[in-house]
Amino acid sequence: MKYFAVPDGTPAFHQALEQVVFEQIQEDSILMLWSNSPAIVCGAYQNIYQETSVYRAWKRGIPVIRRDSGGGTVYHDPGNLNYTVICDSDGSVNYDGVMAGILTALHRIGVPAEKSKVCDITLHGRKISGSAQKISGGRLLHHGTLLFDTDLTVLHEVSGRSGRTYHSRAIPSNPAQVVNISQYWQGTMADFRKALRAAYPADLTEASLTEEQLRLAEQLAEEKYGSWAWTCGRSPAFLCEVTGELSGKPIQLRYEAKKGVITACELRSPLLDPHAGDRFLGAQLRPEAIEALCQEITDEPDKLAELIL
């Protein structure tokens, strides 16, 4: 099995790098361990607006990234260790087989983790890892998270979607109680990464990515994973219904969106013009664009923008 050291980079770069390695390196199995700066990473078939507060994330400077595999939404930060396994495939998903390696490594370093459901890992009954797979060209890409010392306060803040109802064909995430591995394992993230790699049940051979592969990853990060069209525009068409409060008065919001653009919008509040919703028609669901429109109709633009996004 080859082990590739993953260079530092943006969350979009790391998604792109996985794709480049998956598509270009066809021989042998591969293991990669890597961490991101804060980011929200959604599945390929999800509605990002249903999965996370895009507006709160934007205010915090946290990008939302759409990956190239299915599954649910996960939160990355420097306290989360991501692992990637790439291997040959017979054309079917293989969670049990691939996850056996990471579970063995965790057990060897004293973390009594267990597989849960189809593709989760738990520790003392609480989730520490979610994962997803993609199969193409006779190869399987498996990537998963390992919550080591993640800021769970931020995770809960940006994932809150209460007070709203979504109607769409998007695949929703399955929320679960989470816990950090660091509560049960002494050491730093660097210690954890080193120990996990040493305990992985395979002969690991150091390998290096070429300059051309890194260049392709940078290009793909800019053109695909860092683009609004890929991340937001690919969200399935949806209807969102929200109830809330604005300046102490009730507000009801109902809007429809397709390819990340508002196609119908109704805003009902004693404080707003009955036709206030019309201002949002044709608007892209970009935080900066929605905030600017909210500034035109209310003294609490942040509050209204958060209701929409």
Side-chain angles (χ1 to χ4, degrees), residues 229-244:
W230 168 260
T231 301
C232 306
R234 287 178 61 92
S235 284
F238 68 93
L239 164 65
C240 176
E241 296 175 310
V242 188
T243 57

Side-chain angles (χ1 to χ4, degrees), residues 46-66:
Q46 292 194 295
N47 173 12
I48 67 166
Y49 304 101
Q50 182 175 349
E51 295 300 322
T52 187
S53 175
V54 174
Y55 186 72
R56 286 183 205 161
W58 177 67
K59 282 292 191 180
R60 276 186 166 271
I62 299 173
V64 180
I65 307 293
R66 185 184 296 279

